[in-house]
Amino acid sequence: MSANLRALRRRILTPGISATSLDVRGFHKKSPAAQELLETVGRHFLEGYGHAVEVRTTAELEDRLERLPTRFRGFAYEGAAMGATVLDALPGSRGNRLAGLLAGRGRDHVYMAYVGIGWAMARLPRPLWPDLSRTDPLIRWLVLDGYGFHQAYFKTGKYVHGQYEDPRFAWSWGSPSYARRAVDQGIGRALWFVAGTEPDLAATLIEKFPEGRRADLFSGTGLAAAYACGAEEAELAQLARRAGPYLRQLQQGAAFAAEAREKAGLTVAATEVAVGALCGISPAEAAALCRATRPAGPPAPDGSGYEKWRQDIAAAFVSREEK
């Protein structure tokens, strides 16, 4: 395919940049700086997506992604994984774009890449959903985190303000009941964007959900608050107070964010502030905690292994404070 045709494919397949505008989305605007941050996240996501559907090779895609700013590069890999998944689903595709990304530099960005796969699933008909048999069975649930984020981000009235939960949602890789929990983790992450990085508003939105869903929602919000950032130390302390009985889940999400950034070499000053405020330790220490508690051996397919990992991370924060 010629360069002109690839550029045309990019223009046709890539969503418009206006889709990331807080005004278009109707999200809260805490401040001009917070608005600029969240919209910049969206622009880099779409840039990664666009590169993935335009380039000829994985090497070319990696070269473009690795040139992007450190703070936003993970979001570009997330978008690239979405674009690669969509491209693989098109008629005539060889179906190897996503596999190539995950086998290369995308391995270091696997947390964000899996989330990007979930974005694509939210846009594709179910018969075109990707084959996930070669993905890591422990963290495969992050794909549904991405699916949940997409639904809350683009269908905010239904999934956030209406607290919708699809009673029939299921996928091929595990328990339907845990699948809905993984989706909630993504919805919680999206709430940080819907709230415009305003901790009190994010907590208020969560409190409108049924109590049984709040632990997963706070976990997702903690992940977003420590990965996307956008709040000052005092604001994050307020978020921790508002989490109340779900503080450990909030910290677990923040620890996941630290692991995702540390693994990819993308830790920045804002990560240090957020993880320090929420977890009381550095991103490097939080990432080490995640690795130390990661279960050995193949996990059960029902999600219990992933959930135990999350619980063990949460429990580790209790142990730290009891010492």
Side-chain angles (χ1 to χ4, degrees):
M1 182 182 293
S2 71
N4 287 339
L5 286 177
R6 291 196 305 274
L8 177 61
R9 180 173 67 188
R10 174 174 182 162
R11 288 197 296 273
I12 292 173
L13 294 178
T14 305
I17 194 67
S18 63
T20 67
S21 164
L22 267 62
D23 288 317
V24 171
R25 300 261 60 84
F27 294 169
H28 177 67
K29 291 186 286 186
K30 181 181 75 174
S31 67
Q35 179 177 1
E36 175 61 22
L37 170 67
L38 295 181
E39 291 179 349
T40 301
V41 165
R43 287 195 297 271
H44 281 90
F45 177 96
L46 289 179
E47 187 171 3
Y49 180 103
H51 289 326
V53 300
E54 180 182 8
V55 300
R56 294 173 298 173
T57 67
T58 299
E60 186 179 355
L61 174 58
E62 291 174 345
D63 180 65
R64 294 191 184 190
L65 296 174
E66 290 297 319
R67 296 181 186 183
L68 298 177
T70 301
R71 184 168 184 175
F72 302 105
R73 195 178 304 151
F75 298 107
Y77 269 93
E78 180 184 358
M82 179 189 179
T85 304
V86 169
L87 195 62
D88 284 347
L90 295 180
S93 170
R94 296 179 181 178
N96 59 5
R97 187 59 62 90
L98 177 63
L101 177 65
L102 294 175
R105 296 297 296 271
R107 286 178 297 188
D108 293 334
H109 303 270
V110 64
Y111 291 90
M112 299 300 285
Y114 279 18
V115 166
I117 297 171
W119 274 69
M121 286 170 50
R123 294 291 180 101
L124 292 169
R126 284 192 176 228
L128 296 181
W129 280 11
D131 177 9
L132 301 178
S133 59
R134 297 173 64 183
T135 56
D136 184 327
L138 178 64
I139 63 171
R140 186 180 290 156
W141 297 95
L142 287 169
V143 173
L144 293 187
D145 181 302
Y147 179 94
F149 184 101
H150 177 283
Q151 299 302 79
Y153 191 90
F154 289 102
K155 301 177 182 179
T156 310
K158 181 176 183 179
Y159 279 84
V160 176
H161 302 302
Q163 298 89 44
Y164 178 73
E165 182 181 39
D166 187 348
R168 297 180 300 276
F169 185 86
W171 69 334
S172 304
W173 304 101
S175 161
S177 61
Y178 198 76
R180 290 190 288 274
R181 290 193 58 186
V183 169
D184 271 353
Q185 291 155 30
I187 293 173
R189 195 162 51 85
L191 291 177
W192 188 245
F193 287 71
V194 175
T197 78
E198 175 62 65
D200 271 322
L201 179 54
T204 296
L205 290 171
I206 292 174
E207 289 163 359
K208 293 179 180 180
F209 282 77
E211 187 173 352
R213 300 177 66 183
R214 294 176 193 170
D216 290 314
L217 294 167
F218 267 111
S219 173
T221 297
L223 200 161
Y227 194 96
C229 302
E232 301 296 331
E233 188 173 356
E235 293 178 299
L236 294 165
Q238 174 65 1
L239 178 62
R241 286 190 291 271
R242 289 291 301 273
Y246 308 107
L247 173 61
R248 305 310 175 190
Q249 286 75 31
L250 182 78
Q251 292 173 321
Q252 174 271 310
F256 260 20
E259 162 65 350
R261 282 203 173 268
E262 285 283 309
K263 181 177 176 62
L266 300 180
T267 297
V268 294
T271 318
E272 299 276 356
V273 171
V275 176
L278 294 176
C279 300
I281 55 179
S282 70
E285 291 172 311
L289 189 157
C290 291
R291 294 166 193 162
T293 53
R294 182 180 173 118
D302 61 359
S304 59
Y306 183 67
E307 179 56 26
K308 183 179 185 304
W309 186 26
R310 296 175 67 241
Q311 290 177 2
D312 286 348
I313 293 170
F317 285 107
V318 177
S319 298
R320 288 182 62 88
E321 290 193 3
E322 291 177 346
K323 290 180 180 180

